[in-house]
Amino acid sequence: MKKSTVKEIRTRFDKDVERFSNLQKGQTATVDAVASLEILSDAAKYLCHGARDILDIGCGAGNYTLKILEKIPNLNCTLIDLSQPMLDKAYERVTNSTNGEVTISHTDIRDFPDNAESFDIITAGAVLHHLRDESEWKAVFKKLFTLLKPGGVLLISDLVVQTLKPLNKLMWERYADYLKNLNGEAYQKEVFAYIVEEDSPRSYEFQQKKLKEAGFAYVEILHKNMCFATFCAVKEK
């Protein structure tokens, strides 16, 4: 099946800002969204407590940056997203939560400048699954490695698949049950339909390998439940 274009993905997210603007509940279609936000932001604090600059790719309405600002105040924040309405919402929320400089960029990470060693923290929340072939994953991970300062950390929370097909079938069946219990069968079918149309998730093992190939010294899993994983990659000092 032909996947959605960047323009088509942008159009859907332009209309869906409020669903991504609840810091208390997170994005409810994501299993353990609140727990993942907490674990990811705690990892940022423990790994990079002296941070000054954060880059949030596919920032949505800014939840990941906002949660990290609770643990590491007054960061300079660079927010990038395909959706201008998402960026506008994120800018409004983040500027009210930091005394640091807030910069927004209406772009795709694939087109973002390679400003070497500019950021202490990069966060990628529910965004990398939009990458397509292996060459895109390789190029984006290398870019993120280049953008990080020595000792910097990349924090990822995303949709994943399982390497073993029987386990992949199990996890997606469990995810289907989760969505049905959350909001009914019609909702489950709607979520699965846009995953098929838009997303190309890869396994944690695939991403771990590509992150190491990009130069990261350490890749650690922080949390996993069903089809969702939160993990980090650290650039050596």
Side-chain angles (χ1 to χ4, degrees), residues 44-140:
K45 177 182 177 180
Y46 277 73
L47 289 169
C48 220
H49 62 274
R52 295 176 57 85
D53 302 283
I54 183 172
L55 171 66
D56 190 341
I57 69 170
C59 67
N63 281 353
Y64 287 89
T65 291
L66 288 168
K67 184 56 70 172
I68 290 171
L69 285 169
E70 291 180 4
K71 314 292 174 69
I72 311 175
N74 299 321
L75 293 169
N76 298 315
C77 305
T78 300
L79 313 172
I80 71 173
D81 202 276
L82 292 173
S83 168
Q84 189 63 51
M86 287 285 190
L87 278 173
D88 293 342
K89 186 70 171 182
Y91 182 79
E92 173 191 337
R93 298 170 81 204
V94 171
T95 52
N96 289 327
S97 300
T98 183
N99 292 326
E101 182 180 354
V102 181
T103 304
I104 61 173
S105 180
H106 185 208
T107 191
D108 187 310
I109 185 58
R110 289 165 287 199
D111 301 318
F112 191 72
D114 293 333
N115 299 322
E117 299 186 356
S118 298
F119 302 99
D120 301 288
I121 300 167
I122 298 176
T123 184
V127 62
L128 296 176
H129 63 257
H130 290 132
L131 298 175
R132 299 302 184 217
D133 62 32
E134 188 171 338
S135 64
E136 283 193 344
W137 287 87
K138 182 177 179 180
V140 168

Side-chain angles (χ1 to χ4, degrees), residues 161-180:
V161 295
Q162 310 302 307
T163 303
L164 297 175
K165 289 182 179 180
L167 289 181
N168 195 52
K169 183 175 184 292
L170 168 65
M171 295 304 175
W172 284 87
E173 287 176 354
R174 289 176 62 86
Y175 183 39
D177 289 341
Y178 166 84
L179 293 171
K180 289 174 188 176

